Amino acid sequence: MTRKLRLPNGSFLMPPPAKFNVRAILKDENIYKKAAEESFPSYNKSHLICLEFPNRSGDVLITSFSEVDKDEYLDPRTAQVARVDHVKQVCKDVRPARDEELPSAFVEEYRSAMDAEIMKYVSETYPKGISSVYCTKGKDVEEPGFDFELVVVISAARHSPQNFCNGSWRSIWNIEFKDEIQSVEVRGEMQVGAHYFEEGNVQLDAKHECKDTTLIQSPDDSAFSLVNIIRHHETEYLASLQTSYLKLPDTTFKDLRRKLPVTRTLFPWHNTAQFSLTRDIEKELGIGK
């Protein structure tokens, strides 16, 4: 059984999952293909991987929010849909998005303003970070007086196997515009993963959820206010992680070891002369003097 160590901030330190060759274990190509068709899309969407369009006209994030059909994913920024090979993790081709796959002009004002602000924030905060903003509810809303929902997705990863470490950041922000109460409700979920494997093998899995609210304003003002909310919560969470990890040597890592050996008795380091493997063996076998 894998042992998890819970940190004060609710994250976990644990050994990474074992790596093995699934194809070699199954020994059946048909079964492997069937398993891959089911598991790879789930993995790619949960890890928010980013793929480049074949014509290099943009990128697409693989998420449940961007999925418009099986193996097809929308990039609202360029209004294009990519067809994806999940196993090879590549875009096979790209097409223009259909009208029904895009939000109305009214909602698009809010979506595009939010997208522009979140791009600035991500470029300043996450090296090589990728973001996208989707309309998940109320896509057909044409004027004020109705509710709609946007989802902001931020994904950043840094792989440095030569330095024995990899890390990733994923955050999803559900933003509900509620016209009746002239309020915007924000729900955020942040996930941090890290893997260190120099002279050891430890994996970090940290998750955090939060909520906030603000007032509905113009598209540009709403975007500015909402990105400030996102910035505040993500900065606060990162600071809490940093504080926890500074205390690791004195607190958490000590908990990884047993407090007592299996004998439930502390080893008497002050008087090790009382122990002699040779003397014990001679006594046990009756060959001592």
Side-chain angles (χ1 to χ4, degrees), residues 219-239:
D220 289 340
D221 290 341
S222 288
F224 183 79
S225 176
L226 288 166
V227 171
N228 278 339
I229 288 174
I230 292 173
R231 179 186 287 107
H232 166 73
H233 285 287
E234 293 193 347
T235 302
E236 190 176 66
Y237 180 50
L238 286 169

Side-chain angles (χ1 to χ4, degrees), residues 23 62 64 68 91 148 152 181 210 259:
R23 182 183 265 112
I62 308 304
S64 58
V68 296
C91 290
F148 61 94
V152 175
I181 56 176
C210 61
K259 294 290 189 298

Side-chain angles (χ1 to χ4, degrees), residues 48-168:
L48 308 178
I49 70 165
C50 179
L51 301 178
E52 186 179 31
F53 288 150
N55 57 10
R56 297 188 178 183
S57 60
D59 302 296
V60 61
L61 275 170
I62 308 304
T63 78
S64 58
F65 310 107
S66 59
E67 189 172 25
V68 296
D69 202 351
K70 183 182 179 182
D71 300 336
E72 287 194 336
Y73 296 85
L74 170 70
D75 174 41
R77 189 174 298 149
T78 61
Q80 297 183 96
V81 173
R83 193 159 61 92
V84 171
D85 184 323
H86 282 285
V87 178
K88 295 180 180 179
Q89 293 185 333
V90 296
C91 290
K92 293 190 287 188
D93 54 54
V94 62
R95 64 170 174 81
R98 304 184 185 99
D99 289 344
E100 62 270 19
E101 294 169 339
L102 299 172
S104 66
F106 173 75
V107 174
E108 177 60 19
E109 279 192 77
Y110 282 88
R111 193 213 64 79
S112 60
M114 189 72 200
D115 188 41
E117 284 295 327
I118 207 72
M119 282 179 67
K120 294 178 189 176
Y121 164 65
V122 170
S123 65
E124 295 167 358
T125 309
Y126 302 104
K128 298 182 180 179
I130 301 293
S131 65
S132 194
V133 182
Y134 308 97
C135 178
T136 54
K137 292 180 183 177
K139 192 180 294 185
D140 299 328
V141 171
E142 296 283 357
E143 58 186 12
F146 301 91
D147 299 346
F148 61 94
E149 182 177 1
L150 302 178
V151 172
V152 175
V153 175
I154 300 173
S155 177
R158 184 170 184 176
H159 302 292
S160 186
Q162 70 275 17
N163 293 316
F164 307 100
C165 64
N166 296 313
S168 66

Side-chain angles (χ1 to χ4, degrees), residues 166-211:
N166 296 313
S168 66
W169 169 276
R170 286 166 275 167
S171 58
I172 297 173
W173 296 88
N174 293 77
I175 302 170
E176 293 186 71
F177 288 78
K178 298 191 172 184
D179 185 82
E180 185 176 351
I181 56 176
Q182 285 295 294
S183 174
V184 185
E185 295 187 359
V186 182
R187 290 178 290 113
E189 179 180 304
M190 292 160 271
Q191 183 171 357
V192 178
H195 181 197
Y196 294 90
F197 48 97
E198 182 177 16
E199 297 182 357
N201 207 345
V202 178
Q203 179 174 284
L204 165 75
D205 182 19
K207 295 181 181 180
H208 178 68
E209 295 181 358
C210 61
K211 293 181 180 180

